[in-house]
Amino acid sequence: MNHNFKNRRILVVDHNADSRELLSIIFEQEEANVLTVTSAKEALEVFEDFQPDILLCELLLPGEDGYWLIRQIRGLETKVGYHVTAIAVTVAATEPNRQLALATGFDSHIAKPLKVDDLLAIAAILEQGKFCPQLAQ
């Protein structure tokens, strides 16, 4: 599958430096413009100016969590005029957490440790508006 992320804006939200760096490297190699932040509040502060195409967010963040962040972002969509593709990339990999992530507003839920090819495929499919539930498990 061709993953065309060239010039796409990716916002990575994770308090773990290694996770942030890995996600950044993955998408920078795909020629995306990546911005990383360490908290949900920081993500919300940069959201309108950065206007990400894709949000990659850990659910378990200190302070406000990923669920809080996606609720805030979904509430801003009318103001900003577009729907951001939101993927929970998380250690919170239980079925209840997956269901809550989807119900709260994430488009997909991917467990850590992640498979790079799966992440790229899911992000590409979601960006094209062709959600594929069997990939998002």
Side-chain angles (χ1 to χ4, degrees), residues 72-131:
Q72 304 307 307
I73 287 173
R74 294 298 182 228
L76 283 173
E77 286 182 342
T78 302
K79 180 180 179 183
V80 297
Y82 74 98
H83 176 85
V84 63
T85 297
I87 303 172
V89 180
T90 182
V91 295
T94 65
E95 182 59 21
N97 283 337
R98 186 185 78 80
Q99 290 177 10
L100 181 57
L102 297 175
T104 307
F106 282 96
D107 297 301
S108 188
H109 177 277
I110 300 174
K112 291 179 186 174
L114 57 90
K115 296 177 184 166
V116 173
D117 289 340
D118 289 351
L119 173 62
L120 292 172
I122 290 168
I125 288 167
L126 289 170
E127 272 294 278
Q128 295 169 8
K130 299 176 186 169
F131 182 68

Side-chain angles (χ1 to χ4, degrees), residues 6-130:
K6 186 174 184 172
N7 299 321
R8 305 300 285 169
R9 292 176 309 276
I10 314 289
L11 178 58
V12 175
V13 186
D14 200 318
H15 63 284
N16 181 288
D18 291 338
S19 292
R20 280 194 318 274
E21 183 177 354
L22 175 63
L23 291 169
S24 182
I25 289 169
I26 289 168
F27 283 93
E28 285 172 351
Q29 287 177 346
E30 297 289 324
E31 300 182 49
N33 178 10
V34 180
L35 177 63
T36 63
V37 297
T38 61
S39 72
K41 287 193 174 186
E42 190 179 357
L44 199 55
E45 289 171 7
V46 301
F47 183 79
E48 286 187 61
D49 287 334
F50 186 61
Q51 296 183 349
D53 299 299
I54 300 173
L55 170 71
L56 303 173
C57 184
E58 170 60 63
L59 295 174
L60 304 178
L61 298 167
E64 305 297 346
D65 61 18
Y67 303 108
W68 176 86
L69 177 60
I70 196 61
R71 286 184 191 106
Q72 304 307 307
I73 287 173
R74 294 298 182 228
L76 283 173
E77 286 182 342
T78 302
K79 180 180 179 183
V80 297
Y82 74 98
H83 176 85
V84 63
T85 297
I87 303 172
V89 180
T90 182
V91 295
T94 65
E95 182 59 21
N97 283 337
R98 186 185 78 80
Q99 290 177 10
L100 181 57
L102 297 175
T104 307
F106 282 96
D107 297 301
S108 188
H109 177 277
I110 300 174
K112 291 179 186 174
L114 57 90
K115 296 177 184 166
V116 173
D117 289 340
D118 289 351
L119 173 62
L120 292 172
I122 290 168
I125 288 167
L126 289 170
E127 272 294 278
Q128 295 169 8
K130 299 176 186 169

